[in-house]
Structure formats: C-alpha cells, structure tokens
Amino acid sequence: MPETRRANPLGVHALVWTGSWTAADARSACAATAAAGYDLIEVPLLDPAEVDAAMTREVLEATGLGATCSLGLAPETDISSEDPAVVERGARLLHAALEVAAGIGSGYLGGVLYSAMAKYTEQPTARGRANSVAVLRDLAREARARGVVIGLEAVNRYESNLVNTVHDSLGHIDAIGAENVVVHLDTYHANIEEGDLAAAVRQAHDAGRLGYVHVGESHRGHLGTGSIAWDPFFDALTEVGYAGPIVFESFSSAVVSARFAGALAIWRNLWDDSAELAAHAHAFICDHLSRRHEEA
Ligand code: MN
C-alpha cells in the first residue's frame, strides 16, 4: 500500500474565538488559532464593511496563518428573491465580500451565498432561482479574475430552501456554469439532509466539485460528542483523495454574534473554553486523518 500523506489545510471558524473583528479581536483570534495548531482561520464576512482587509492581512502575516472567508446572505440581501432591489443589494454585498476576501489574501469565499441564511416558509421560485444563478455567475467571473474560488455550502432546510444537499449544490453549480464554483460540504448540515455522509462526499468528488469541508458535530459542540458517523466520513475523504481545507465550525452562546445567533439558532451554551475546544477539534481531525500533530 503506498504511503499517503495528506496535506489538508486545517482551519477553525473565527466564531470559536470572537463574534466581532476589531484589530484586537483579530490579533487574539489569529494567535489562538495558530497556537491550537491550525493552518488557517475562516473569517466571516456577514458585513464586509466591518472587516478591515489591510489590518487582517497584517495580522495573518504576523501569525503565519492563511484565511478563508464565508458569509450567509440576509433576507434583505437575498439574491434568490423575486424583488430586483433585494437581488441588487445582495449582489453588491457579495461583490463587497469578494473584495475583502481578495484583500486579505483569501482564495476562498463560501457559505450561503445563493439565498438568505434564514428559515423560509415557501419553495424557491423559478425566477428567484434564476436570479441567484445570474448573480453567482457574475460573482464567479469576478472571483476568477481575483483567484478566488466560490463555494456553495449546502445547509439544512431551516437555514435555506434552495441548497440543502450536495445534489442541490451540484445543480446550482451546473446552472452557473463556471469552473471556479465548488461544493462546500458541512457535516452538521449533511447529517440532517443526506442519507449517507460518505455517499455525499463521493457524489461531490465524482462530479469534480468537492472543494471545501466544514466539520461540525450534530449539536455544533465538541467533535465526537454527538451523533455524526465520523469514521465513514473521514474514510470517504481519504478514499477520494480530498486535499482541500477542513475547517472546524462550532457555535456556543459563550461567544456572541447577534447576527449568527439569530440566523443559526444558537441558544445554548455548548462550551466556554474556546482554546480547549479548538485544541480538541484539531487533535480529533488529525487522529481521524491518521496524521500526528507535528508541533506537539
Ligand atoms: Mn458550515
């Protein structure tokens, strides 16, 4: 058997550390991310104007970290709306986020970019779907010029009505028709919506579109303390030779961001100690990738 050496960049979502992004927040979050052994931090861009790209880039360089970026649209910036004014606001927000992502040196912008990150009470409409595709096609073209990959994160039915599964994500990607748009697979969401996590990994891979992975537990707390079937999931990532980022995502009411708490229903305190949580997740991921923590 050939020796396989995986080189997935490992990351952690900034909301493990902080719900805001002042220079002091950025410095402490990046220092803690590096100290926990990660290669990158995922910086949320729900409001791109709140993220100072030059400051962030400086902090990243000082801590030796890479970065990725993510966001979810809001109802007032929902590009899957039928209202042209709402779609236009969403398009402007996405382009502003792309600007910040490129400005901090991130090669990735993903998340719920295709609709609002919110509970819907109706099916998407054909016109809304077409609006979403058109805006993302434009965004992907601009992103390509800036060397940024766009990721469509499949989220559970309570957080969007448009892309809930890898199948949905691939369908939207096909409609967009751009090379630099990938499936962003999140175990927390897939555990709700997919019948089989390993099959979901293979489906995205076989389509040539598996580009980004969030690992989150079924309750979004400590990895290994919920009901996610981790072994088959990591086996599948290994089998398909996935070498892209693996980013730990966890939310607790201990770290507050009003926007996230409301959209993601973060009502419970699942942990208090960010450093312990992040170190635990890093060890958990490395163990499951059969990789030793080289800095230890
Ligand atoms: Mn996620």
Side-chain angles (χ1 to χ4, degrees), residues 188-218:
Y188 162 77
H189 298 292
N191 181 58
I192 296 170
E193 301 296 347
E194 306 280 359
D196 179 335
L197 290 186
V201 167
R202 286 192 292 268
Q203 184 184 11
H205 168 77
D206 291 349
R209 294 288 186 170
L210 181 59
Y212 201 80
V213 169
H214 270 166
V215 290
E217 194 40 277
S218 54

Short mmCIF file of all heavy atoms in Angstrom, two decimals, residues 188-218:
data_model
loop_
_atom_site.label_atom_id
_atom_site.label_comp_id
_atom_site.label_asym_id
_atom_site.label_seq_id
_atom_site.Cartn_x
_atom_site.Cartn_y
_atom_site.Cartn_z
N TYR A 188 -22.46 18.96 9.77
CA TYR A 188 -23.63 19.27 10.61
C TYR A 188 -24.91 19.30 9.75
O TYR A 188 -25.93 18.71 10.11
CB TYR A 188 -23.42 20.61 11.31
CG TYR A 188 -24.67 21.24 11.85
CD1 TYR A 188 -25.27 20.78 13.02
CD2 TYR A 188 -25.29 22.30 11.18
CE1 TYR A 188 -26.44 21.35 13.51
CE2 TYR A 188 -26.45 22.87 11.66
CZ TYR A 188 -27.02 22.39 12.83
OH TYR A 188 -28.17 22.96 13.29
N HIS A 189 -24.84 19.98 8.62
CA HIS A 189 -26.00 20.08 7.74
C HIS A 189 -26.25 18.75 7.03
O HIS A 189 -27.40 18.31 6.92
CB HIS A 189 -25.79 21.19 6.71
CG HIS A 189 -25.64 22.54 7.32
ND1 HIS A 189 -26.67 23.19 7.96
CD2 HIS A 189 -24.57 23.36 7.43
CE1 HIS A 189 -26.24 24.37 8.42
NE2 HIS A 189 -24.96 24.49 8.10
N ALA A 190 -25.17 18.13 6.52
CA ALA A 190 -25.31 16.88 5.77
C ALA A 190 -25.90 15.78 6.66
O ALA A 190 -26.66 14.93 6.19
CB ALA A 190 -23.96 16.44 5.21
N ASN A 191 -25.56 15.83 7.95
CA ASN A 191 -26.09 14.84 8.89
C ASN A 191 -27.61 14.93 8.98
O ASN A 191 -28.29 13.94 9.27
CB ASN A 191 -25.47 15.09 10.26
CG ASN A 191 -25.92 14.10 11.31
OD1 ASN A 191 -25.75 12.90 11.16
ND2 ASN A 191 -26.52 14.61 12.39
N ILE A 192 -28.15 16.12 8.72
CA ILE A 192 -29.60 16.30 8.74
C ILE A 192 -30.22 15.93 7.39
O ILE A 192 -31.26 15.28 7.34
CB ILE A 192 -29.94 17.77 9.10
CG1 ILE A 192 -29.46 18.10 10.52
CG2 ILE A 192 -31.44 18.04 8.94
CD1 ILE A 192 -29.54 19.58 10.88
N GLU A 193 -29.56 16.33 6.31
CA GLU A 193 -30.21 16.26 5.00
C GLU A 193 -29.78 15.10 4.09
O GLU A 193 -30.50 14.77 3.15
CB GLU A 193 -30.00 17.58 4.24
CG GLU A 193 -30.55 18.81 4.98
CD GLU A 193 -32.07 18.77 5.17
OE1 GLU A 193 -32.73 17.93 4.53
OE2 GLU A 193 -32.58 19.58 5.97
N GLU A 194 -28.59 14.53 4.33
CA GLU A 194 -28.11 13.45 3.45
C GLU A 194 -28.40 12.11 4.14
O GLU A 194 -28.30 12.01 5.35
CB GLU A 194 -26.60 13.56 3.22
CG GLU A 194 -26.13 14.91 2.70
CD GLU A 194 -26.34 15.08 1.19
OE1 GLU A 194 -26.83 14.14 0.52
OE2 GLU A 194 -26.01 16.18 0.70
N GLY A 195 -28.67 11.11 3.35
CA GLY A 195 -28.87 9.80 3.95
C GLY A 195 -27.57 9.16 4.39
O GLY A 195 -27.55 8.33 5.30
N ASP A 196 -26.46 9.56 3.77
CA ASP A 196 -25.19 8.87 3.95
C ASP A 196 -24.06 9.88 3.70
O ASP A 196 -23.87 10.34 2.58
CB ASP A 196 -25.15 7.72 2.94
CG ASP A 196 -23.87 6.90 2.98
OD1 ASP A 196 -22.83 7.43 3.42
OD2 ASP A 196 -23.92 5.74 2.55
N LEU A 197 -23.33 10.22 4.77
CA LEU A 197 -22.28 11.24 4.66
C LEU A 197 -21.21 10.83 3.66
O LEU A 197 -20.71 11.65 2.89
CB LEU A 197 -21.62 11.49 6.02
CG LEU A 197 -22.43 12.19 7.10
CD1 LEU A 197 -21.54 12.48 8.31
CD2 LEU A 197 -23.03 13.47 6.57
N ALA A 198 -20.83 9.56 3.69
CA ALA A 198 -19.76 9.09 2.79
C ALA A 198 -20.22 9.18 1.34
O ALA A 198 -19.45 9.58 0.45
CB ALA A 198 -19.37 7.65 3.15
N ALA A 199 -21.47 8.83 1.10
CA ALA A 199 -22.00 8.91 -0.27
C ALA A 199 -22.04 10.37 -0.73
O ALA A 199 -21.79 10.66 -1.91
CB ALA A 199 -23.40 8.30 -0.32
N ALA A 200 -22.33 11.28 0.19
CA ALA A 200 -22.36 12.71 -0.17
C ALA A 200 -20.96 13.19 -0.57
O ALA A 200 -20.80 13.94 -1.54
CB ALA A 200 -22.89 13.53 1.00
N VAL A 201 -19.95 12.75 0.16
CA VAL A 201 -18.55 13.09 -0.17
C VAL A 201 -18.22 12.57 -1.56
O VAL A 201 -17.69 13.31 -2.41
CB VAL A 201 -17.58 12.47 0.86
CG1 VAL A 201 -16.14 12.53 0.35
CG2 VAL A 201 -17.71 13.17 2.20
N ARG A 202 -18.57 11.31 -1.83
CA ARG A 202 -18.24 10.71 -3.13
C ARG A 202 -19.00 11.39 -4.27
O ARG A 202 -18.46 11.59 -5.35
CB ARG A 202 -18.52 9.20 -3.10
CG ARG A 202 -17.48 8.42 -2.28
CD ARG A 202 -17.61 6.92 -2.51
NE ARG A 202 -18.84 6.40 -1.95
CZ ARG A 202 -18.96 5.90 -0.72
NH1 ARG A 202 -17.90 5.85 0.09
NH2 ARG A 202 -20.11 5.46 -0.29
N GLN A 203 -20.24 11.76 -3.99
CA GLN A 203 -21.06 12.42 -5.02
C GLN A 203 -20.43 13.75 -5.44
O GLN A 203 -20.32 14.05 -6.64
CB GLN A 203 -22.46 12.65 -4.47
CG GLN A 203 -23.43 13.23 -5.47
CD GLN A 203 -24.79 13.54 -4.84
OE1 GLN A 203 -24.94 13.50 -3.61
NE2 GLN A 203 -25.77 13.81 -5.67
N ALA A 204 -19.99 14.53 -4.45
CA ALA A 204 -19.36 15.82 -4.77
C ALA A 204 -18.02 15.61 -5.47
O ALA A 204 -17.68 16.30 -6.43
CB ALA A 204 -19.16 16.63 -3.49
N HIS A 205 -17.26 14.62 -4.98
CA HIS A 205 -15.96 14.32 -5.58
C HIS A 205 -16.12 13.84 -7.02
O HIS A 205 -15.40 14.29 -7.92
CB HIS A 205 -15.22 13.27 -4.76
CG HIS A 205 -14.02 12.73 -5.47
ND1 HIS A 205 -12.85 13.42 -5.58
CD2 HIS A 205 -13.85 11.58 -6.17
CE1 HIS A 205 -11.99 12.73 -6.30
NE2 HIS A 205 -12.57 11.60 -6.67
N ASP A 206 -17.04 12.90 -7.23
CA ASP A 206 -17.20 12.31 -8.56
C ASP A 206 -17.62 13.37 -9.59
O ASP A 206 -17.33 13.22 -10.78
CB ASP A 206 -18.23 11.17 -8.53
CG ASP A 206 -17.70 9.96 -7.75
OD1 ASP A 206 -16.49 9.95 -7.42
OD2 ASP A 206 -18.49 9.04 -7.44
N ALA A 207 -18.29 14.40 -9.12
CA ALA A 207 -18.66 15.50 -10.03
C ALA A 207 -17.49 16.46 -10.23
O ALA A 207 -17.61 17.44 -10.98
CB ALA A 207 -19.86 16.25 -9.47
N GLY A 208 -16.38 16.20 -9.54
CA GLY A 208 -15.20 17.06 -9.67
C GLY A 208 -15.36 18.40 -8.96
O GLY A 208 -14.69 19.37 -9.29
N ARG A 209 -16.25 18.44 -7.95
CA ARG A 209 -16.59 19.73 -7.35
C ARG A 209 -16.40 19.81 -5.84
O ARG A 209 -16.79 20.82 -5.24
CB ARG A 209 -18.05 20.06 -7.67
CG ARG A 209 -18.34 20.30 -9.15
CD ARG A 209 -17.77 21.61 -9.65
NE ARG A 209 -18.19 21.86 -11.03
CZ ARG A 209 -18.01 23.01 -11.66
NH1 ARG A 209 -17.43 24.02 -11.04
NH2 ARG A 209 -18.39 23.14 -12.91
N LEU A 210 -15.84 18.77 -5.22
CA LEU A 210 -15.67 18.86 -3.76
C LEU A 210 -14.53 19.82 -3.46
O LEU A 210 -13.37 19.54 -3.78
CB LEU A 210 -15.38 17.47 -3.15
CG LEU A 210 -15.22 17.44 -1.63
CD1 LEU A 210 -16.47 17.95 -0.92
CD2 LEU A 210 -14.88 16.03 -1.15
N GLY A 211 -14.84 20.96 -2.86
CA GLY A 211 -13.81 21.99 -2.71
C GLY A 211 -13.58 22.47 -1.30
O GLY A 211 -12.55 23.11 -1.03
N TYR A 212 -14.49 22.21 -0.38
CA TYR A 212 -14.34 22.78 0.96
C TYR A 212 -15.17 21.95 1.93
O TYR A 212 -16.29 21.54 1.60
CB TYR A 212 -14.85 24.23 0.96
CG TYR A 212 -14.32 25.09 2.09
CD1 TYR A 212 -13.05 25.66 2.03
CD2 TYR A 212 -15.11 25.36 3.21
CE1 TYR A 212 -12.57 26.48 3.05
CE2 TYR A 212 -14.64 26.19 4.23
CZ TYR A 212 -13.37 26.75 4.14
OH TYR A 212 -12.91 27.56 5.15
N VAL A 213 -14.62 21.70 3.11
CA VAL A 213 -15.32 20.87 4.09
C VAL A 213 -15.38 21.57 5.45
O VAL A 213 -14.35 22.05 5.96
CB VAL A 213 -14.62 19.50 4.24
CG1 VAL A 213 -15.16 18.74 5.44
CG2 VAL A 213 -14.80 18.66 2.97
N HIS A 214 -16.58 21.66 6.00
CA HIS A 214 -16.77 22.07 7.39
C HIS A 214 -17.01 20.82 8.22
O HIS A 214 -17.89 20.03 7.87
CB HIS A 214 -18.01 22.96 7.53
CG HIS A 214 -17.74 24.42 7.37
ND1 HIS A 214 -18.74 25.34 7.19
CD2 HIS A 214 -16.58 25.12 7.41
CE1 HIS A 214 -18.21 26.55 7.11
NE2 HIS A 214 -16.90 26.44 7.22
N VAL A 215 -16.27 20.66 9.30
CA VAL A 215 -16.61 19.60 10.24
C VAL A 215 -17.27 20.25 11.46
O VAL A 215 -16.71 21.11 12.11
CB VAL A 215 -15.40 18.72 10.65
CG1 VAL A 215 -14.96 17.87 9.48
CG2 VAL A 215 -14.24 19.55 11.16
N GLY A 216 -18.49 19.82 11.68
CA GLY A 216 -19.26 20.30 12.82
C GLY A 216 -20.05 19.12 13.37
O GLY A 216 -20.50 18.26 12.61
N GLU A 217 -20.17 19.07 14.67
CA GLU A 217 -20.89 17.95 15.32
C GLU A 217 -22.40 18.16 15.17
O GLU A 217 -22.85 19.25 14.78
CB GLU A 217 -20.42 17.89 16.79
CG GLU A 217 -20.75 16.65 17.57
CD GLU A 217 -20.61 15.33 16.82
OE1 GLU A 217 -21.57 14.97 16.10
OE2 GLU A 217 -19.60 14.63 17.00
N SER A 218 -23.16 17.14 15.46
CA SER A 218 -24.61 17.19 15.25
C SER A 218 -25.28 18.30 16.07
O SER A 218 -26.33 18.81 15.68
CB SER A 218 -25.25 15.84 15.57
OG SER A 218 -24.90 15.42 16.88
#
